């Protein structure tokens, strides 16, 4: 009997995957290609509505960094729809005014808190993820370690992008050019697009962007506060 038990144990050793095999398997899932479609400056009326429809028709979700003042301009329904469709929402300030955010009398955190309120009032969600208007290294503002610490002390998290469709700078760019510039071969692509009132061409480009990432085997994800942050601190010379 003893022998049979030992034999069984030896047998089990061979068929049970070793720890390193389990690790390998989980690494394989970790290395799958992921795309985060992200939109700044929403809600932008019909532009945002059209984008929500395109996302829904394709059965994918995105992350929208919202402007509070625009939500309060009678666009709460769009935000409700956005969230009930499974999209993520984040902070992009209340006014998007660089003076009010970064000027000598500006208050970045007041702007973000007001935006958080507008989102909460519209859809009941309290979000802690944020994207800096104009990015965190613009001509208006450069992210520092102390600012980052302050952001983290308020439980906020920063998300930049690593693929720029350039539709912020060039909203009139043709939809096919926007779609082309939104493409990437990165393992994890965080694509920047815009969904403000003047981003009609981005709405027209979105289906092509989605088709590209689908065809290339990407999984679509939304940003949550579990997502690893993405930012860059440029050291002063
Ligand atoms: Zn913006």
């Amino acid at each position: 009997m003893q022998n049979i038990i030992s034999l069984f144990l030896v047998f089990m050793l061979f068929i049970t995957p070793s720890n390193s095999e389990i690790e390998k398997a989980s690494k394989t899932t970790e290395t799958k290609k992921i795309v985060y479609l992200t939109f700044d400056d929403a809600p932008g009326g019909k532009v945002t509505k059209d984008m929500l429809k395109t996302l829904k028709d394709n059965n994918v979700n995105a992350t929208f960094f919202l402007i509070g003042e625009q939500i309060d301009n009678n666009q709460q329904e769009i935000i409700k729809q956005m969230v009930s469709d499974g999209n993520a929402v984040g902070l992009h300030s209340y006014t998007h005014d660089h003076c009010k955010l970064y000027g000598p009398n500006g208050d970045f955190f007041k702007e973000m808190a007001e935006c958080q309120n507008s989102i909460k009032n519209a859809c009941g969600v309290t979000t802690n993820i944020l994207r800096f208007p104009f990015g965190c290294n613009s001509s208006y503002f450069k992210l520092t370690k102390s600012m980052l610490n302050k952001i983290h002390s308020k439980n906020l998290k920063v998300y930049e992008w690593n693929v720029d469709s350039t539709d912020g700078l060039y909203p009139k760019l043709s939809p096919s050019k926007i779609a082309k510039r939104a493409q990437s071969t990165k393992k994890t692509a965080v694509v920047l697009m815009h969904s403000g009132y003047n981003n009609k061409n981005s709405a027209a480009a979105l289906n092509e962007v989605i088709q590209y990432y689908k065809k290339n085997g990407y999984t679509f994800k939304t940003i949550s506060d579990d997502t690893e942050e993405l930012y860059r601190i440029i050291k002063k010379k």
Side-chain angles (χ1 to χ4, degrees), residues 40-41 65 67 92 96 131-135 194:
D40 289 5
D41 300 358
F65 291 98
I67 300 175
H92 196 53
H96 208 282
R131 179 169 283 156
F132 279 75
F134 315 101
H194 286 75

Side-chain angles (χ1 to χ4, degrees), residues 94-109:
Y94 190 75
T95 62
H96 208 282
D97 177 336
H98 61 85
C99 296
K100 289 184 178 163
L101 279 154
Y102 313 122
N105 299 315
D107 191 340
F108 179 87
F109 290 103

